[in-house]
Amino acid sequence: MSRPLVVDSVAALRAQIRDWRHDGLRVAMVPTMGALHDGHISLVKIALDRAERCVVSIFVNPTQFAPTEDLDKYPRQLARDVDRLGMARADLAFTPTVGEMYPSGFATRISVGGPSAGLEADFRPTFFDGVATVVAKLLLQATPDCAIFGEKDYQQLCVVRQLCRDLDLPVEIIGAPTIRDAHGLAMSSRNAYLDETELRIARQFNVILRDTAAALAAGAGQSHATEEASRALIAAGFQKVDYVEARESLTLAPWHRNGEGRLLAAAWLGKTRLIDNVEIPST
Ligand code: PAF
């Protein structure tokens, strides 16, 4: 098993990337918060199909967590993550400290409009500013040719695309399909919080979303179909549904029947908040 180079300073990251560029190599980046699972590893594979070198950042970004959220509890397992990256043949793990990313006196926040409105933002109002700020920093630190983001966090992917377009960041953003377990549950670091019973319930999430997307494609009214989906999630054992909404795939504007659509949802199982999304099949 090869072992990725592990660096925790921006200076060391830039020095290595400068060497690769000098040798004419393309660089791809996979930004993560660690606790790597098969979903992340699929992003590394896509990165290595697109570039000769793959950088994976592992940084639990405090600015995207609200004070009430799970920042302290968020799983951290660096040694295991580095082993997994070695097996996946990633070249470099960038593992900055909070002080390296946000040195004392740091005072900038990036606020993206457009696709960041509604959905997650209604429940996590500071989340996308935190994501946009850290992603802009990571992309400027590493200056990769391309960066890979999972469709699992679909609204985040749309926000990152908007950020790069609006700020002319010279990086291609690649969206990668969600990796699911044998029951269709989307891989997520937060699945680690679920006990056996919750896991069984969580596996109904994608089934209910797929059924609802199929009903929408077949002509069901939007509010009726999404209310039915919320009811079905509660009946399956979820305690609370934050939203189930159909949106236009690229802009996340409200969905109109003849445009490409995405059904997005967030729901609570105990203390764990799960999100998922599926394409609305075109008719
Ligand atoms: O999706 C994540 O893991 C994070 O939101 C990201 C993009 C690494 C920014 O911290």
Side-chain angles (χ1 to χ4, degrees), residues 31-33 61 64 131 134-135 149 153 156:
T32 81
M33 297 206 299
N61 174 36
Q64 69 191 70
V131 168
V134 81
V135 169
F149 291 82
D153 296 291
Q156 169 174 278

Side-chain angles (χ1 to χ4, degrees), residues 12 30 56 80 126 179 194 206 223 230:
V30 179
V56 178
R80 184 181 162 279
T126 55
I179 301 297
L194 302 174
N206 75 99
S223 40
S230 296

Side-chain angles (χ1 to χ4, degrees), residues 6-273:
V6 180
V7 303
D8 60 10
S9 73
V10 176
L13 171 73
R14 285 192 167 141
Q16 181 56 68
I17 287 174
R18 215 169 21 244
D19 284 355
W20 287 336
R21 291 232 182 277
H22 182 260
D23 293 340
L25 302 174
R26 269 177 68 84
V27 178
M29 181 171 216
V30 179
T32 81
M33 297 206 299
L36 302 181
H37 50 66
D38 290 352
H40 295 112
I41 299 306
S42 76
L43 305 185
V44 172
K45 287 197 183 112
I46 293 172
L48 287 170
D49 284 343
R50 299 285 190 134
E52 285 86 21
R53 294 290 179 268
C54 170
V55 172
V56 178
S57 60
I58 298 178
F59 178 62
V60 183
N61 174 36
T63 66
Q64 69 191 70
F65 289 77
T68 49
E69 293 178 347
D70 56 347
L71 174 62
D72 293 337
K73 205 176 101 187
Y74 198 85
R76 289 162 173 87
Q77 40 197 45
L78 187 57
R80 184 181 162 279
D81 286 349
V82 170
D83 284 352
R84 285 214 74 173
L85 291 180
M87 285 187 281
R89 310 191 85 75
D91 298 281
L92 187 148
F94 176 48
T95 61
T97 58
V98 173
E100 180 73 4
M101 291 300 275
Y102 301 113
S104 132
F106 185 89
T108 298
R109 264 186 110 72
I110 297 182
S111 189
V112 177
S116 70
L119 303 168
E120 285 301 286
D122 286 344
F123 299 87
R124 308 180 71 191
T126 55
F127 175 66
F128 286 120
D129 284 5
V131 168
T133 305
V134 81
V135 169
K137 281 178 68 76
L138 290 167
L139 295 178
L140 290 166
Q141 288 161 349
T143 60
D145 296 284
C146 61
I148 330 294
F149 291 82
E151 286 183 352
K152 155 79 173 37
D153 296 291
Y154 195 83
Q155 190 177 12
Q156 169 174 278
L157 170 62
C158 296
V159 169
V160 168
R161 285 193 200 283
Q162 181 84 42
L163 165 81
C164 293
R165 212 170 29 241
D166 289 354
L167 297 186
D168 303 310
L169 297 185
V171 53
E172 184 190 1
I173 300 301
I174 296 163
T178 302
I179 301 297
R180 299 178 180 278
D181 75 4
H183 306 267
L185 175 65
M187 297 278 173
S188 162
S189 305
R190 291 192 167 97
N191 292 351
Y193 302 153
L194 302 174
D195 64 27
E196 284 285 306
T197 313
E198 290 171 334
L199 195 57
R200 267 198 300 279
I201 299 168
R203 287 178 169 148
Q204 294 303 305
F205 200 4
N206 75 99
V207 177
I208 292 166
L209 289 188
R210 267 176 225 293
D211 288 351
T212 307
L216 285 167
Q222 260 185 68
S223 40
H224 173 73
T226 52
E227 278 160 25
E228 277 300 305
S230 296
R231 266 194 286 278
L233 287 166
I234 298 292
F238 284 86
Q239 277 84 41
K240 184 168 165 294
V241 177
D242 280 351
Y243 61 84
V244 180
E245 282 189 44
R247 293 292 184 103
E248 203 276 318
S249 295
L250 288 181
T251 61
L252 294 188
W255 177 63
H256 297 293
R257 191 154 298 284
N258 36 16
E260 281 183 26
R262 203 91 195 172
L263 184 69
L264 303 100
W268 288 87
L269 254 182
K271 291 195 168 87
T272 309
R273 185 172 183 274

